[in-house]
Amino acid sequence: MVSKYRDRKAQKTYTVVGNDVFADPNSRGQAKNPFDSNVVSNFDQMETLLDYCFINLGVGEEGGGGVGHSVVMTEAVCIPGYNRKMMSELLFECYNTPSVIFGIDSLFSYDYNDGKTGLVLSAGHTATHLIPVLDGKGLVNLSTRLNWGGYQSADYMLKLIQLKYPGFPAKIQSWQAEALMKDHCYVSSDYKEEVANYLKPEILLEKDRIIQFPFTETIKVEKSQEELDRIAERRKESGRKLQEQAAKVRLEKLIKKEQELAFLKTLQARQETDSKRDFKRLLEQNDFRDEAALEKSIRELDKTIRRARKQDVGAEEDAANSSPPSFPLLDIPDEELSDDSKKMKRHQKLMKSNHEARLRAKAEKEAERQRQEDLEREDAAKREADLPAWLSTRHAARAAVLTKIKDRTRLRNELSDRKSLASQMRMKSIANLASDSPPSKKRRRGGGGAPGSSGGGGGAIDDDNFGANDDDWSVYRNITLGTNSDEDEEDNELAKELKAIEDQLLLHDPHFDRNDTQEAKSDWRASLLHAFTHGVREHDLDDQAQGCQIHLNVERIRVPEVFFQPGMAGLDQAGVIEIAGDILLQRVADEQVRERMLRDVFLTGGAVAFEGFDERVRKEVRGIIPAGSVLRGGGGWVTRGMWEEAGGEYILEHRLGNAF
């Protein structure tokens, strides 16, 4: 890495090389790499790197005459001739090097380890190469490159962590991801089997790695017992007041809904007395499309009232156990009352409505209790008559309730997203209802007319552009929030219904236990997502230390597995074992040469340092070589005179270089 930046305070330009670029934010922001896919692309930065290396090594002739030493320069496989020309010019002209040899680092390594004939697998920083070697000479024309190395692996680890913890409080740097990869990743001997069982508690307990990032602990002020008692008392009093207010609001809503239901039933009764034309006009005046819409509204409103009456609105009436209240002022005309008496009369009218609502709720609860007892007796008779059939119906009912809960959850999520189709449709419906001139049925169906014309083109919704502004969506959200109480009641009813069914199955179905209930499946201990992100223990949202933790589990084997299955990272290439098989069994035509190469697979490069990499290669390659085979795991100089005579692109052919 090379960083060149200007310090404005010191009015100086600094050039920083190597790990020093990370010491200062200014240099870190300007850090650049002179390489592109392991090939030098910026020779100005390369010259800076060589200056840094030679100066720190103390290499050079006195008086600035140059390096004065022969140089071994490694290069990528099949490097372009232009690149070697520029590098030769840099070394001979700038550093006065007497002689240079270019070669492939993995072949140098193979030769140093006494390799003669075999297959070299070099997993480097930016790419992985497989090069067959025959009698000490690399067959570069038969080599293959996999565009995956240590750099891509570290970047893949960083992306996996970012996807796993999208709201992580600390910014994870690329060098941190690289360190995590080197310290914790390993190659699985059987990836498919291991990843299938990785998140099981007994396995995860052993293999999960917790990385703690720095955090600031918030000091909590401890309060005395007296203060805690006072706070608890205030909360209790506030809770009581809120319960009273909620009961009052529920009662007022119930009275209002009962009045609305009575009005709709009166409206429905007009169908018997009015003509069809008059009744249709009456429906349109009350925003009903037809008789079916009116009947549906009555049915839904009646259902809502029944649900509201199930709540304990009659508890105070039962607890009072007193004589029925009297309301004497209601029978006296307003003309005979004073202003104070009129106010008292209105209060007694409200109290009477309250009392009547409680009586209706009490009667409704009693009727509901009686109905439930009848249903329970009928259900018990069916269960005793045919238990398998009864269990089948209970399981079907449970599945239906679960489907309703999932559908409601999905719809709620879609309505919260302003870009979803459900949210858009509801928005248009609200705009249509709020419009002073709602579109007719003919215009709703569409047609050839232009928007705003008298024909059948665009409707009023398209004309008023409601929803184009964010303020329109704030209105929509307010309307949606107003229906949350009814939705919560329905959610509670579904939850109670599901629990009642599961209690029956727990009691009568021997194959249904606590682990099969929805409550057990929703428990964090049974959640794969919780195990994946937080390990085997419960996650405390208030614990700041846990909020700054990263759990590495599946990533430990997923990152290095890309060398064997590149498709996991979206790379459309074969893995190293497939490439090795293609080279050894297809490209090497001579059977005797193939047999010699099969006996030696040599691993080199930083990425092969993953734990288990060599064992995985040994296991996979053994599957493609003959039984009983054994696996185990610089040249000529170009002088300055030769360079001046032959030019910068000249390369002396030797067995460890790019010549082919």
Side-chain angles (χ1 to χ4, degrees):
M1 303 295 292
V2 178
S3 177
K4 187 176 181 180
Y5 68 98
R6 178 83 174 170
D7 191 333
R8 296 183 178 179
K9 292 184 179 180
Q11 295 296 318
K12 293 182 180 180
T13 301
Y14 295 97
T15 300
V16 186
V17 178
N19 290 329
D20 295 340
V21 301
F22 299 109
D24 183 79
N26 294 325
S27 62
R28 186 165 58 244
Q30 299 296 325
K32 296 180 181 178
N33 191 325
F35 296 93
D36 182 10
S37 298
N38 211 25
V39 176
V40 179
S41 59
N42 190 322
F43 281 91
D44 291 334
Q45 293 179 356
M46 190 66 200
E47 183 178 352
T48 304
L49 283 176
L50 291 176
D51 287 342
Y52 178 85
C53 294
F54 291 145
I55 291 173
N56 281 274
L57 288 172
V59 176
E61 297 178 350
E62 295 182 1
V67 174
H69 288 270
S70 299
V71 175
V72 178
M73 181 67 69
T74 60
E75 59 186 9
V77 180
C78 301
I79 194 170
Y82 172 80
N83 188 275
R84 185 178 297 105
K85 172 185 175 182
M86 296 297 296
M87 184 63 71
S88 299
E89 181 179 338
L90 179 65
L91 292 173
F92 284 121
E93 293 286 351
C94 183
Y95 296 103
N96 198 23
T97 302
S99 60
V100 179
I101 178 174
F102 294 94
I104 301 172
D105 54 354
S106 59
L107 297 185
F108 284 153
S109 176
Y110 186 56
D111 181 72
Y112 179 80
N113 287 273
D114 300 326
K116 298 301 180 184
T117 300
L119 179 66
V120 176
L121 191 160
S122 173
H125 183 62
T126 58
T128 298
H129 292 88
L130 286 91
I131 309 172
V133 179
L134 177 61
D135 295 330
K137 181 179 180 180
L139 305 180
V140 184
N141 57 318
L142 299 181
S143 65
T144 301
R145 181 183 67 188
L146 171 63
N147 296 325
W148 191 268
Y151 171 77
Q152 291 88 345
S153 298
D155 186 61
Y156 188 49
M157 169 66 85
L158 178 62
K159 290 179 179 178
L160 291 178
I161 295 175
Q162 290 173 341
L163 287 172
K164 189 174 182 178
Y165 300 98
F168 197 69
K171 182 179 180 181
I172 304 175
Q173 305 293 338
S174 57
W175 62 269
Q176 292 174 318
E178 184 176 0
L180 293 176
M181 177 193 69
K182 291 181 178 179
D183 294 342
H184 301 286
C185 287
Y186 66 95
V187 177
S188 173
S189 59
D190 190 340
Y191 177 79
K192 186 176 181 181
E193 180 182 357
E194 186 170 0
V195 77
N197 302 316
Y198 215 103
L199 296 180
K200 292 184 177 180
E202 61 276 9
I203 298 178
L204 191 62
L205 186 63
E206 176 188 355
K207 296 189 175 182
D208 188 45
R209 296 291 183 267
I210 302 175
I211 313 301
Q212 181 67 63
F213 278 71
F215 66 96
T216 302
E217 185 71 42
T218 303
I219 301 176
K220 297 182 179 180
V221 180
E222 296 185 0
K223 299 180 180 180
S224 62
Q225 187 61 38
E226 294 181 358
E227 292 177 329
L228 294 175
D229 293 340
R230 285 197 297 269
I231 293 174
E233 186 63 29
R234 286 199 298 268
R235 288 180 178 175
K236 185 177 180 180
E237 182 66 20
S238 299
R240 186 185 61 80
K241 291 181 179 179
L242 289 175
Q243 288 178 354
E244 292 178 355
Q245 293 176 0
K248 182 178 179 181
V249 170
R250 287 200 305 269
L251 181 61
E252 292 176 353
K253 289 176 63 176
L254 180 60
I255 295 174
K256 185 177 180 180
K257 289 178 180 178
E258 287 180 343
Q259 293 174 351
E260 184 179 356
L261 179 62
F263 171 75
L264 294 181
K265 288 184 176 180
T266 303
L267 189 64
Q268 189 179 34
R270 294 278 298 272
Q271 184 177 6
E272 303 294 334
T273 57
D274 295 358
S275 63
K276 290 185 178 180
R277 180 179 297 178
D278 294 339
F279 184 69
K280 185 175 182 180
R281 187 183 298 111
L282 185 62
L283 290 177
E284 292 178 351
Q285 291 175 356
N286 290 276
D287 298 328
F288 289 107
R289 186 173 60 254
D290 50 23
E291 297 88 347
L294 175 61
E295 185 178 356
K296 180 180 179 182
S297 299
I298 293 175
R299 187 167 58 253
E300 292 179 352
L301 191 58
D302 184 66
K303 181 181 178 180
T304 303
I305 292 174
R306 289 177 179 274
R307 190 186 306 116
R309 285 176 179 173
K310 289 182 181 179
Q311 298 184 5
D312 196 12
V313 295
E316 295 182 6
E317 187 72 20
D318 295 335
N321 196 17
S322 57
S323 57
S326 59
F327 310 101
L329 294 179
L330 297 182
D331 298 330
I332 302 176
D334 292 345
E335 295 79 6
E336 301 177 8
L337 298 175
S338 61
D339 293 340
D340 293 338
S341 299
K342 290 179 181 179
K343 293 181 181 179
M344 183 62 68
K345 181 180 179 180
R346 287 195 294 271
H347 178 69
Q348 289 186 3
K349 187 175 182 180
L350 179 62
M351 293 297 294
K352 182 181 179 182
S353 300
N354 190 342
H355 176 66
E356 291 175 350
R358 293 185 184 279
L359 291 179
R360 287 193 297 270
K362 184 178 180 181
E364 186 71 24
K365 288 176 65 177
E366 181 64 25
E368 180 65 20
R369 185 184 64 81
Q370 186 65 37
R371 189 178 69 86
Q372 289 295 337
E373 291 180 356
D374 295 340
L375 290 176
E376 290 177 1
R377 285 194 295 269
E378 182 180 352
D379 190 65
K382 291 181 179 179
R383 183 177 65 248
E384 294 175 359
D386 191 350
L387 181 60
W390 180 85
L391 290 175
S392 178
T393 57
R394 291 291 85 193
H395 281 288
R398 179 176 178 272
V401 174
L402 287 175
T403 302
K404 289 182 181 179
I405 294 176
K406 291 179 181 179
D407 291 343
R408 289 180 60 82
T409 303
R410 177 183 55 78
L411 181 59
R412 189 181 295 110
N413 293 334
E414 289 182 355
L415 290 176
S416 63
D417 181 11
R418 59 180 290 180
K419 295 182 179 180
S420 66
L421 179 61
S423 187
Q424 295 281 351
M425 294 301 296
R426 188 168 186 179
M427 182 72 173
K428 289 183 179 181
S429 299
I430 294 174
N432 184 22
L433 293 173
S435 176
D436 294 334
S437 56
S440 64
K441 295 180 181 178
K442 182 178 180 181
R443 295 179 66 187
R444 258 188 226 133
R445 288 193 297 267
S453 66
S454 59
I461 300 176
D462 296 328
D463 293 337
D464 60 10
N465 292 325
F466 188 76
N469 196 321
D470 287 341
D471 294 337
D472 300 337
W473 286 93
S474 64
V475 174
Y476 165 71
R477 285 193 295 270
N478 293 333
I479 295 174
T480 305
L481 290 175
T483 62
N484 282 346
S485 58
D486 293 338
E487 292 181 355
D488 291 341
E489 291 178 5
E490 293 185 16
D491 292 340
N492 293 334
E493 288 294 323
L494 289 174
K496 291 179 181 178
E497 184 179 355
L498 178 62
K499 190 176 186 308
I501 295 174
E502 290 182 341
D503 289 342
Q504 289 179 331
L505 292 174
L506 289 172
L507 188 61
H508 301 286
D509 190 352
H511 303 292
F512 189 87
D513 55 19
R514 289 288 178 185
N515 295 327
D516 298 323
T517 62
Q518 187 66 15
E519 182 180 1
K521 292 181 179 179
S522 302
D523 189 12
W524 65 269
R525 297 176 182 84
S527 173
L528 286 179
L529 182 60
H530 182 278
F532 179 59
T533 54
H534 303 300
V536 295
R537 65 176 182 176
E538 187 174 2
H539 181 66
D540 186 2
L541 295 176
D542 297 329
D543 191 336
Q544 293 176 318
Q546 293 187 27
C548 295
Q549 288 178 353
I550 285 178
H551 290 254
L552 295 180
N553 35 64
V554 178
E555 299 83 9
R556 296 183 62 197
I557 60 175
R558 183 174 180 179
V559 171
E561 184 66 21
V562 180
F563 285 97
F564 302 91
Q565 301 184 58
M568 292 176 53
L571 199 64
D572 189 16
Q573 286 187 263
V576 292
I577 304 301
E578 295 177 79
I579 295 175
D582 180 64
I583 293 175
L584 294 173
L585 303 179
Q586 301 295 330
R587 302 187 190 183
V588 178
D590 193 323
E591 190 171 335
Q592 294 181 352
V593 173
R594 180 189 307 163
E595 184 178 352
R596 293 170 60 191
M597 285 186 178
L598 285 172
R599 297 181 178 274
D600 191 8
V601 176
F602 181 74
L603 307 182
T604 182
V608 302
F610 284 120
E611 178 187 350
F613 195 102
D614 54 345
E615 292 298 328
R616 175 70 176 273
V617 173
R618 186 189 308 273
K619 175 185 175 182
E620 298 281 350
V621 172
R622 186 174 285 120
I624 62 174
I625 66 175
S629 300
V630 180
L631 300 176
R632 71 171 183 89
W637 296 92
V638 177
T639 64
R640 181 181 180 91
M642 296 170 63
W643 170 73
E644 291 175 347
E645 180 181 352
E649 297 184 11
Y650 175 73
I651 176 172
L652 182 68
E653 293 189 9
H654 62 89
R655 59 191 178 88
L656 303 179
N658 269 305
F660 62 92

